[in-house]
């Protein structure tokens, strides 16, 4: 199909109507989830009590597992499920599952095949999943184990049981294992700190509300772009005349076809218990965002992974493809996943919410100071946790937070920290202050105590922090593991210092305030409220000694510094072996990504771009011949110049692609993964940009009707 036929097809598509909402939301919300209410219906009273005891730290017995497995099966069968699977989050960044039927067949007769031991543990044949050497062939076993803290759900016709994934030796091969460990670590530390201020605190939960950005393009365009199919991003494509200079897309009305997709997505998400709340257009054309209401971190991570899968499925139904790549279109705004992160006590207190009393605020400031200190000390780790080949295109591309990690606090909080530093506290923290609108008909709007800064990678937004540097395709757990661990570590240091001061005879309040002050001073360079996109900030950050790590291979090295190993082993979140394996898996993934992009670019340049250019060149040559035959020698010159320009680009592409292949081959010989990834970054990666430039120039001069690839303006504006 030619490009113009593709456009015709898209324009004449019939709208796919979403599902009809016959029931009320309250009836369908979570109907596909094995919630505690469902458990209560299916389990005996004693089993339910035993499960609740597990929530308070008791182990789960075989007998209890059997009863729960049976309950899950009954419930799932009543919803038409035929299979079950342990559902887990391997380091590919995707979700993995291996489906088993609910019935074993013995001599042709079905036999119920789901019991407690199968619920508790499975051994998927997942030898092709990355293990970073943690599973050598002689111990090629990996196990998945049930995570009872994230409820099972039905997806398609399969009962999915959230699980961790570990090697034979118990090494973590996934994101969930260290995430759960990091949640325990921060729970313990934060409970101790909060207990300095309040009674009755037994637990602190981490909350996450992830905002998910994505692009939607028509599947017919997608099918015509080998780069989107293979790499999820366009490796060539000239910028459209109308990009986002006109920022009218942002908060503009949602196109009808997209709205139908969103409605169906929301409905299906609700059935799975995912509390999607907002939907709107994003900055770039064809870019959108959705955000759920925040939930407990572990469940929120699972929900985001599930949501991405659901988005992909439903988009296809509407003849769209959803793109989660951090930078699918060069020169156009990229996609991130803003991680709104906070801590909440078992008594319902948000620990990052400034309060009314001075006790509340001392507590708030303690947690704030610990967070600042954590980010300052371990900015390199946070950077590593968000590193990927895709996110490299986005970070620092003048429309996303730079690779320099800093913290935005806003004027009011900064003033208070300043006063603490200078020992002259006068200000009060106003949680929310009425804003004078001078519009008599509109009730006063409560203004957050922070103004908005959309350029900061890590911003305080009134009662939570927002980590904006996470890439749209990432598993949120990666950044959250680091954030939890480093903040927990800072809290422990904080508590030690408070205790020390108490021993020296200081009163409690004094000891706490002095420690806050110390932390504020020690972490001061990490605070920045200005424009993070500016060149001036880069210079300033350098003066402050903040790391500016631009590429993924460099960033990932932070995982295996002595400092990182000490930190993660101290808190038992990741062992040295696990850290190294993780780093190597991610380096490997980086190499593979660049390799794939390089390959696909080479193919497209040789098979699609050059042939189109030559066809046009042929036409031009014919024109020159005709002009000359008619005696118009002079007039032919302009066409000859064009022929020459095309030739130059074609030649350049040919020789650059050859060089690229040779360079790739050379680096493929390298056995050391660190060196290999660095080599790919320094020597292979730059080819992508130069080759692309020649291709994009050709796109701009070659006859439009010869161009085989859907153009940016078409993919972004036609639906
Ligand atoms: P925006 O940042 O676009 O203005 P909102 O302020 O509406 O968006 O919130 C964005 C996300 O932050 C939502 O997912 C919301 O649920 C989440 N959020 C709000 N409070 C908390 C909290 N205490 N902990 C974690 N996430 C939170
Ligand atoms: Mg936000």
């Amino acid at each position: 199909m030619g490009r113009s036929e593709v456009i015709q097809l898209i324009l004449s598509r019939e709208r796919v109507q979403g599902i009809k909402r016959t029931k009320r939301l309250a009836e369908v919300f979570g109907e596909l989830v094995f919630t505690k209410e469902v458990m209560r219906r299916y389990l005996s009273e004693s089993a339910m009590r035993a499960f609740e005891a597990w929530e308070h730290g008791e182990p789960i017995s075989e007998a209890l597992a059997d009863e729960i497995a049976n309950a899950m099966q009954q419930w799932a069968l009543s919803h038409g499920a035929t299979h079950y699977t342990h559902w887990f989050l391997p380091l590919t960044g995707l979700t993995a599952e291996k489906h088993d039927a609910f019935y074993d067949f013995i001599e042709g007769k079905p036999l119920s095949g789901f019991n407690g031991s199968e619920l508790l543990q499975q051994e998927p044949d997942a030898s092709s999943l990355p293990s970073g050497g943690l599973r050598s062939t002689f111990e090629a076993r990996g196990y998945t184990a049930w995570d009872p803290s994230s409820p099972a759900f039905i997806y398609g016709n399969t009962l999915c049981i959230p699980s961790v994934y570990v090697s034979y030796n118990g090494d973590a091969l996934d994101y969930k294992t260290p995430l759960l460990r990091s949640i325990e670590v921060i729970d313990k530390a934060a409970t101790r700190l909060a207990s300095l201020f309040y009674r009755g605190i037994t637990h602190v939960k981490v909350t996450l509300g992830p905002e998910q950005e994505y692009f939607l393009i028509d599947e017919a365009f997608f099918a015509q772009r080998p780069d989107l199919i293979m790499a999820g991003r366009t490796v060539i494509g000239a910028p459209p005349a109308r990009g986002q200079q006109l920022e009218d897309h942002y908060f503009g009305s949602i196109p009808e076809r997209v709205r139908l997709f969103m409605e169906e997505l929301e409905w299906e998400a609700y059935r799975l218990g995912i509390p999607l709340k907002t939907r709107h257009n994003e900055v770039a054309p064809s870019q959108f965002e959705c955000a759920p209401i925040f939930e407990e971190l572990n469940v929120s991570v699972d929900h985001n992974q599930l949501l991405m899968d659901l988005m992909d499925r439903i988009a296809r139904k509407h003849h769209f493809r959803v793109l989660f790549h951090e930078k699918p279109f060069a020169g156009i705004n990229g996609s991130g996943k803003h991680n709104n992160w906070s801590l909440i006590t078992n008594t319902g207190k948000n620990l990052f919410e400034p309060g009314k009393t001075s006790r509340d605020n001392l507590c708030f400031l303690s947690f704030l100071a610990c967070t600042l200190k954590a980010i300052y000390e371990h900015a390199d780790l946070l950077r590593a946790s968000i590193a990927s080949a895709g996110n490299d295109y986005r970070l620092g591309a003048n429309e996303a937070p730079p690779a320099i990690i800093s913290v935005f606090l806003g004027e009011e909080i900064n003033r208070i920290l300043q006063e603490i530093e200078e020992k002259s506290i006068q200000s009060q923290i106003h949680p929310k202050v009425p804003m004078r609108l001078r519009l008599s008909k509109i009730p006063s709007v409560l203004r957050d105590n922070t103004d908005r800064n959309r350029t900061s990678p890590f911003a305080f937004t009134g009662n939570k922090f927002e980590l904006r540097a996470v890439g749209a395709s990432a598993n949120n757990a990666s950044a959250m593991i680091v954030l939890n661990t480093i903040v927990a570590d800072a809290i422990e240091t904080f508590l030690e210092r408070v205790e020390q001061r108490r021993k020296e005879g200081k009163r409690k309040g004094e000891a706490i305030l002095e420690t806050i002050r110390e932390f504020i001073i020690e972490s001061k360079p990490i605070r920045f409220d200005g424009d993070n996109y500016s060149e001036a900030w880069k210079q300033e950050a350098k003066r402050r000694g903040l790391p500016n790590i631009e590429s993924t291979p460099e960033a990932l090295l932070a995982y295996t510094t002595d400092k990182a190993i000490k930190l993660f082993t101290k808190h038992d979140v990741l062992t040295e072996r696990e850290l190294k394996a993780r780093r190597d898996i991610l380096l490997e993934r980086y190499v593979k990504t660049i390799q794939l992009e390089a390959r696909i670019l080479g193919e497209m340049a040789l098979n699609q771009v050059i042939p189109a250019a030559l066809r046009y060149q042929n036409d031009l040559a014919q024109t020159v011949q005709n002009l000359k035959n008619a005696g118009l020698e002079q007039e032919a010159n302009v066409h000859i110049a064009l022929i020459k320009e095309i030739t130059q680009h074609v030649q350049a592409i040919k020789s650059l692609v050859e060089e690229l292949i040779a360079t790739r081959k050379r680096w493929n010989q390298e056995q050391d993964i660190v060196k290999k990834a660095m080599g790919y970054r320094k020597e292979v990666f730059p080819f992508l940009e130069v080759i692309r430039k020649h291709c994009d120039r050709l796109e701009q001069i070659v006859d439009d009707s010869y161009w085989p690839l859907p153009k940016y303006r078409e993919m972004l504006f036609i639906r």
Side-chain angles (χ1 to χ4, degrees):
M1 217 190 292
R3 249 174 67 232
S4 60
E5 287 150 298
V6 167
I7 294 172
Q8 279 317 310
L9 171 97
I10 292 169
L11 291 176
S12 60
R13 275 202 200 290
E14 266 192 48
R15 298 285 177 259
V16 177
Q17 295 301 324
I19 29 150
K20 290 227 167 52
R21 296 184 174 205
T22 46
K23 293 190 203 160
R24 284 181 309 117
L25 177 56
E27 284 175 76
V28 297
F29 190 84
E31 70 175 352
L32 299 177
V33 186
F34 191 68
T35 57
K36 269 181 89 176
E37 286 82 88
V38 177
M39 280 176 102
R40 221 162 262 133
R41 271 193 275 130
Y42 281 85
L43 289 185
S44 67
E45 246 177 68
S46 64
M48 198 62 211
R49 263 201 308 279
F51 183 74
E52 276 162 354
W54 167 80
E55 290 179 317
H56 293 99
E58 295 295 318
I60 287 185
S61 67
E62 274 297 311
L64 177 60
D66 269 335
E67 195 172 332
I68 294 178
N70 187 44
M72 270 187 191
Q73 177 171 7
Q74 295 313 316
W75 170 76
L77 290 174
S78 78
H79 277 78
T82 53
H83 288 67
Y84 67 90
T85 182
H86 269 187
W87 181 88
F88 56 103
L89 312 172
L91 294 165
T92 52
L94 305 169
T95 57
E97 42 204 71
K98 168 192 167 247
H99 297 190
D100 282 312
F102 268 124
Y103 292 98
D104 288 337
F105 286 87
I106 292 184
E107 291 171 6
K109 285 201 188 96
L111 192 81
S112 170
F114 189 55
N115 57 35
S117 62
E118 278 158 320
L119 166 63
L120 288 171
Q121 186 179 320
Q122 297 271 319
E123 190 183 339
D125 176 26
S127 46
S128 58
L129 292 170
S131 74
L134 286 181
R135 262 182 354 184
S136 39
T137 30
F138 60 86
E139 48 173 52
R141 288 158 166 235
Y143 294 105
T144 54
W146 176 37
D147 166 20
S149 59
S150 183
F153 56 91
I154 294 170
Y155 196 46
N157 56 10
T158 302
L159 171 69
C160 296
I161 301 158
S163 303
V164 297
Y165 178 46
V166 294
S167 77
Y168 186 72
N169 299 320
D171 289 323
L173 294 172
D174 67 347
Y175 284 110
K176 194 190 261 286
T177 308
L179 180 72
L180 290 173
R181 293 178 190 154
S182 79
I183 288 172
E184 273 182 38
V185 170
I186 197 165
D187 176 4
K188 277 207 197 94
T191 300
R192 278 177 61 206
L193 179 53
S195 298
L196 289 183
F197 307 94
Y198 307 103
R199 268 169 220 218
I201 304 217
T202 55
H203 279 292
V204 172
K205 270 201 301 202
V206 190
T207 52
L208 174 68
E211 302 163 47
Q212 176 75 55
E213 291 178 336
Y214 61 98
F215 279 84
L216 274 184
I217 68 160
D218 194 280
E219 69 181 4
F221 287 139
F222 182 87
Q224 303 262 319
R225 295 281 319 206
D227 46 3
L228 282 181
I229 295 173
M230 301 303 295
R233 80 175 187 99
T234 55
V235 295
I236 48 184
R242 179 184 172 218
Q244 65 208 60
Q245 294 95 319
L246 311 166
E247 289 202 344
D248 52 359
H249 179 75
Y250 196 47
F251 287 129
S253 70
I254 293 168
E256 168 75 1
R257 221 182 125 191
V258 176
R259 189 179 57 77
L260 291 169
F261 154 78
M262 287 178 172
E263 280 177 7
E264 184 161 352
L265 171 66
E266 282 162 12
W267 199 247
E268 290 303 321
Y270 295 151
R271 298 181 71 209
L272 287 161
I274 303 172
L276 272 194
K277 192 168 154 241
T278 57
R279 50 158 119 129
H280 58 72
N281 291 347
E282 260 304 323
V283 181
S286 282
Q287 191 189 24
F288 306 93
E289 180 194 297
C290 61
I293 295 172
F294 67 93
E295 298 178 276
E296 185 279 317
L297 174 56
N298 178 37
V299 173
S300 175
V301 166
D302 284 354
H303 276 172
N304 181 254
Q305 291 296 122
L306 180 58
L307 181 68
M308 287 166 71
D309 200 88
L310 192 62
M311 288 168 83
D312 184 63
R313 287 197 196 192
I314 293 175
R316 285 167 197 252
K317 197 171 147 193
H318 289 257
H319 304 295
F320 281 125
R321 283 309 163 98
V322 59
L323 308 179
F324 290 118
H325 193 281
E326 284 74 16
K327 196 78 173 174
F329 303 99
I332 305 282
N333 203 68
S335 298
K337 180 135 69 184
H338 297 177
N339 276 214
N340 293 275
W341 170 90
S342 192
L343 297 172
I344 189 164
T345 65
N346 57 304
T347 55
K349 186 148 195 62
N350 179 347
L351 293 165
F352 286 109
E353 177 112 60
K356 293 194 190 72
T357 67
S358 60
R359 180 182 62 167
D360 285 345
N361 282 329
L362 206 56
C363 177
F364 162 71
L365 288 167
S366 300
F367 278 93
L368 187 75
C370 289
T371 308
L372 288 170
K373 172 94 166 146
I375 307 291
Y376 175 63
E377 304 250 304
H378 299 289
D380 60 335
L381 268 182
L382 203 56
R383 170 68 184 93
S385 76
I386 54 160
S388 69
N391 217 14
D392 279 358
Y393 292 109
R394 175 178 166 262
L395 296 179
N398 272 321
E399 35 88 354
I404 308 163
I405 301 289
S406 65
V407 184
F408 169 90
L409 290 180
E411 209 183 297
E412 188 173 352
I413 304 285
N414 265 315
R415 194 180 54 245
I416 287 158
L417 298 197
Q418 184 75 27
E419 287 171 7
I420 292 175
E421 192 183 328
E422 291 161 5
K423 297 190 176 174
S424 64
I425 307 168
Q426 292 151 5
S427 301
Q428 288 196 331
I429 303 175
H430 304 284
K432 298 224 165 170
V433 289
M435 195 160 70
R436 286 187 49 224
L437 275 182
R438 286 188 287 138
L439 291 170
S440 60
K441 292 251 169 66
I442 304 224
S444 72
V445 173
L446 287 181
R447 186 176 63 183
D448 286 325
N449 52 23
T450 59
D451 28 359
R452 289 268 160 180
N453 169 321
R454 298 209 168 264
T455 67
S456 179
F458 194 68
F460 181 66
T461 54
N463 58 5
K464 60 186 186 291
F465 278 97
E466 182 170 343
L467 178 63
R468 301 200 182 105
V470 181
S473 70
N475 184 322
N476 288 327
S478 174
M480 294 295 107
I481 292 164
V482 167
L483 189 57
N484 291 343
T485 310
I486 64 178
V487 172
D489 191 65
I491 291 175
E492 286 190 1
T493 309
F494 187 94
L495 288 166
E496 279 160 25
R497 292 202 198 165
V498 170
E499 213 157 290
Q500 186 56 37
R501 292 198 158 88
R502 298 277 279 147
K503 277 196 198 128
E504 290 162 12
K506 299 252 162 76
R507 280 184 302 110
K508 187 165 116 187
E510 205 182 342
I512 292 170
L513 191 59
E514 275 180 20
T515 310
I516 291 175
R517 182 160 177 270
E518 210 168 56
F519 268 37
I520 289 171
I521 294 169
E522 287 169 8
S523 64
K524 203 169 176 185
I526 203 75
R527 272 150 58 198
F528 179 67
D529 275 15
D531 180 1
N532 292 71
Y533 298 174
S534 70
E535 192 51 41
W537 169 231
K538 274 197 198 157
Q539 302 308 321
E540 169 67 17
K542 204 174 189 174
R543 273 194 295 279
R544 295 187 188 186
L546 299 179
N548 180 8
I549 307 163
E550 283 184 359
S551 79
T552 290
E554 286 170 272
L556 290 174
L557 298 184
Y559 273 130
T560 46
T561 61
D562 289 345
K563 193 176 73 167
I565 292 168
K566 227 173 109 197
L567 172 85
F568 281 113
T569 49
K570 176 182 163 198
H571 296 284
D572 212 6
V573 171
L574 287 164
T575 63
E576 182 172 352
R577 245 154 55 107
E578 287 171 329
L579 282 165
K580 192 172 167 300
R582 217 152 272 258
R583 182 198 72 185
D584 290 354
I585 288 167
L586 295 172
L587 287 170
E588 189 69 50
R589 192 172 356 143
Y590 179 84
V591 168
K592 285 202 178 121
T593 306
I594 303 297
Q595 200 173 52
L596 183 79
E597 289 184 5
R599 241 189 234 140
I600 203 74
L601 174 61
E603 276 171 28
M604 288 168 76
L606 300 185
N607 304 340
Q608 295 182 287
V609 172
I610 291 181
L614 294 185
R615 235 172 290 149
Y616 181 47
Q617 209 178 32
N618 232 10
D619 283 2
L620 290 172
Q622 190 63 55
T623 307
V624 168
Q625 196 55 52
N626 293 349
L627 288 171
K628 284 190 174 167
N629 289 349
L632 298 167
E633 291 278 340
Q634 277 295 316
E635 284 76 357
N637 284 346
V638 54
H639 303 288
I640 291 170
L642 197 47
I643 289 173
K644 283 186 179 157
E645 191 185 344
I646 291 173
T647 305
Q648 276 165 11
H649 290 301
V650 168
Q651 275 173 349
I653 291 172
K654 276 216 145 158
S655 62
L656 283 166
V657 168
E658 272 165 29
E659 254 186 273
L660 166 62
I661 293 171
T663 313
R664 227 173 57 208
K665 290 217 165 119
R666 189 154 45 76
W667 279 111
N668 287 347
Q669 305 299 316
E670 177 60 61
Q671 295 302 310
D672 181 318
I673 187 62
V674 175
K675 286 193 192 134
K676 187 171 175 180
M678 296 290 184
Y680 257 84
R681 168 69 188 194
K682 293 214 171 74
E683 295 186 15
V684 179
F685 177 74
F687 278 105
L688 295 177
E689 199 52 38
V690 249
I691 296 176
R692 170 185 197 133
K693 281 226 173 80
H694 290 289
C695 294
D696 290 356
R697 183 65 193 139
L698 283 174
E699 180 182 326
Q700 284 165 324
I701 56 182
V702 165
D703 182 339
D704 185 67
S705 66
Y706 285 150
W707 201 255
L709 298 161
K711 296 186 171 181
Y712 271 25
R713 62 164 188 267
E714 295 159 353
M715 289 187 281
L716 292 170
F717 291 102
I718 298 176
R719 62 178 85 87

